[in-house]
Amino acid sequence: SRFETCWPALMKDSHGVIIIFNPELPSHLKEIEMWYSCFVQQQPLLDSQCLLVAHHKPGSAGDAENLSLAYPLNKLKLIHSNLEEDPEDVRMEFMKYFRSIVTLINESREREEMSIIS
């Protein structure tokens, strides 16, 4: 991709990765494996720092229940977004994810401070 040279700058000091994809495009299902590998595994970030969002376009038949991702993507938190039907649901999931990231950052900061003190 043309933007690969920018990736190191994007990744620097990142605490979380949100991957949004169209579950109806087979090419996207292959690409999210690459994004996960580059942005999560190689950093390395914890799986809990990654959120997958399967975005269903308005009017798409999108069968949310039938989306089964292969390992290692099936270990990640996956939410389905359909902004026509349940925008509030998606907002709640995002808030939960952001809270978990903030908690992780605070815990690692506390560990650093303790190691400096001791």
Side-chain angles (χ1 to χ4, degrees), residues 33 36 41 47 68-75:
E33 290 180 24
Y36 171 74
Q41 289 179 310
D47 284 342
S68 59
L69 297 172
Y71 181 87
L73 297 172
N74 60 4
K75 301 181 300 173

Side-chain angles (χ1 to χ4, degrees), residues 59-118:
S60 69
D63 191 352
E65 276 63 54
N66 270 348
L67 179 63
S68 59
L69 297 172
Y71 181 87
L73 297 172
N74 60 4
K75 301 181 300 173
L76 304 174
K77 171 87 176 144
L78 168 69
I79 66 173
H80 289 269
S81 76
N82 180 330
L83 300 180
E84 276 184 327
E85 286 173 25
D86 51 10
E88 192 50 34
D89 206 35
V90 175
R91 205 175 72 84
M92 294 296 292
E93 289 292 350
F94 267 103
M95 292 309 290
K96 260 195 275 186
Y97 169 71
F98 286 124
R99 266 192 225 109
S100 71
I101 296 294
V102 169
T103 303
L104 268 170
I105 295 169
N106 289 338
E107 283 171 358
S108 72
R109 196 167 285 153
E110 280 167 22
R111 273 197 304 274
E112 276 172 32
E113 286 169 3
M114 291 310 287
S115 67
I116 292 167
I117 294 167
S118 55

